[in-house]
Amino acid sequence: MATKKTSKFDFEATLKKLESIVNLIEKGGLNLEESLKLFSEGVILTKKCQQAIKSAEQKVKILTGEDLSTFKLDLEASDEEEESNEDE
């Protein structure tokens, strides 16, 4: 039976790698091939980070039992109610 190797995604390490790629590209001095290779790697890392953030948001929604956008709307409605009560 084959075993699956699961590796934990390290968001911070991936973000640091992405930052170093951006710094290298911004610094310049790379030939076109090197720049494209780094850019491609950066796009892949960006997508991985975005997926990790999306996953974390989903976990927060599950844990709170609420849709976070609804929570924001509820706060706005509460602010409006307070303002109307102050006018009375």
Side-chain angles (χ1 to χ4, degrees):
M1 182 190 305
T3 59
K4 283 188 177 180
K5 183 178 179 182
T6 57
S7 60
K8 185 176 178 184
F9 177 74
D10 188 342
F11 182 82
E12 287 77 17
T14 304
L15 192 57
K16 284 182 182 181
K17 177 67 176 169
L18 183 57
E19 288 173 351
S20 70
I21 289 171
V22 170
N23 288 334
L24 284 171
I25 292 172
E26 286 180 343
K27 184 179 175 183
L30 302 171
N31 65 37
L32 181 60
E33 187 177 328
E34 292 170 329
S35 295
L36 287 174
K37 182 179 176 185
L38 285 172
F39 181 79
S40 177
E41 185 179 354
V43 168
I44 292 167
L45 294 175
T46 299
K47 288 180 181 181
K48 288 181 179 181
C49 286
Q50 289 172 336
Q51 183 59 41
I53 291 169
K54 187 175 180 178
S55 177
E57 288 174 344
Q58 288 293 88
K59 288 178 184 176
V60 169
K61 287 178 183 180
I62 291 168
L63 291 171
T64 61
E66 296 183 25
D67 182 2
L68 296 179
S69 62
T70 304
F71 180 71
K72 182 179 176 185
L73 293 174
D74 288 344
L75 287 177
E76 291 171 356
S78 296
D79 289 343
E80 290 174 4
E81 288 175 8
E82 286 180 17
E83 289 175 6
S84 66
N85 289 338
E86 290 175 358
D87 292 339
E88 293 176 358

